[in-house]
Amino acid sequence: MLLAGVLTVAGITGFLARGAVADPVLPPLTPSELLTKVATAKVDALSATFEQRSDLGLPALPTGSLPDGDAVQSALAMLTGDHTARVWLDGPDRAKVALVDGATETSVIRNGDQLWTWSSEKQRAGHATISPGEKPEPSATPVSPSEAVQRFLDAIGPSTDIATSGTGYVAGRAVYQLVLSPTDDASLVGQVRLSVDAETFVPLGLRVIADDGSDAVSVAATSVEYTRPDASIFAFTPPPGAEVTELTAPERPTGTPTAGQEKKPTVVGSGWTAVAVTTVAGTPDKATSTVLESLPEVSGSWGRGRLVSTTLLTVVITDDGRVGAGAVTPDRVYAALAKR
């Protein structure tokens, strides 16, 4: 789901308010049974609102010096604070995800063979025509909670302790609580808690707890209906005066990468402690160098570079153009860079 994906993936903080209401009594399920039901959950129609809260401990960066500083700052803003996402699904070829912050909305809309992106703040729309059944670009972006969680479960593999932890309510729906814990202490993730709808087995809540015990990311439904949305939800016409751009899929580079192209990342390790290492061609411009120079300098047998360290992610940008990133301690990223 474009929850970044949206739920990229798209974490979930204390939205499981129970108050004086007793936890629901549900048929017992083993962790394996519950995972299977989540992985195979199919919902034809859905209307839901999700609240996201993030506190990753990101360092302050002088992004205003970048040519696209506003865009970078907007992306960083999605990793901090509170945000609202609304999701509508109607079969395989109708979907809309809207990120709503105050009076502004950023959305992606699929209506049959028509795909639109929209930013009310920028008054900009993007348009593409796609084939029936085709997934809109970028294909890595899931559009449903179940799809997002399934991709996540595929990625973490066998490096996880899985348990259930009682029941509760989310958005008035009875839920099972599923707890995923990394088995490797090098992971910055301490625990992930999923709240799964007891009838549809669609994930309605996700809470990511850092290894220091703090809530790093949380997402939870505040309302959900499994009914077919009105067709008008998926109809979109750019307002007068809006800038409209035809979207095209990025071409895949062939042969030897040329200047400006990035090589496919190499993944060192697996599961929760995987580190992606890639090489970026070209020399940073003056503005980008200013941002890099604001970061702590680090060095080792792998070389020299700059460090970005948050509660859930470590990124090292080396002076020779390599980038290593993972939900691990800096030492693990350094070790991965030493192999590259």
Side-chain angles (χ1 to χ4, degrees), residues 67-82:
D68 57 349
D70 288 344
V72 174
Q73 196 62 46
S74 296
L76 292 175
M78 285 304 301
L79 300 178
T80 60
D82 300 346

Side-chain angles (χ1 to χ4, degrees), residues 15 88 161 228 251 264 270 282:
F15 293 99
W88 296 267
D161 286 332
R228 194 174 302 280
E251 295 183 3
K264 184 177 180 180
S270 61

Side-chain angles (χ1 to χ4, degrees), residues 317-338:
I317 305 100
T318 69
D319 292 349
D320 60 7
R322 291 171 294 155
V323 178
V328 293
T329 56
D331 286 346
R332 285 292 184 100
V333 178
Y334 301 153
L337 288 170

Side-chain angles (χ1 to χ4, degrees), residues 115-139:
L115 175 70
W116 288 95
T117 63
W118 169 244
S119 168
S120 65
E121 181 180 15
K122 304 288 186 180
Q123 287 291 293
R124 293 176 184 170
H127 173 261
T129 301
I130 54 182
S131 303
E134 179 185 352
K135 289 193 175 183
E137 293 289 341
S139 60

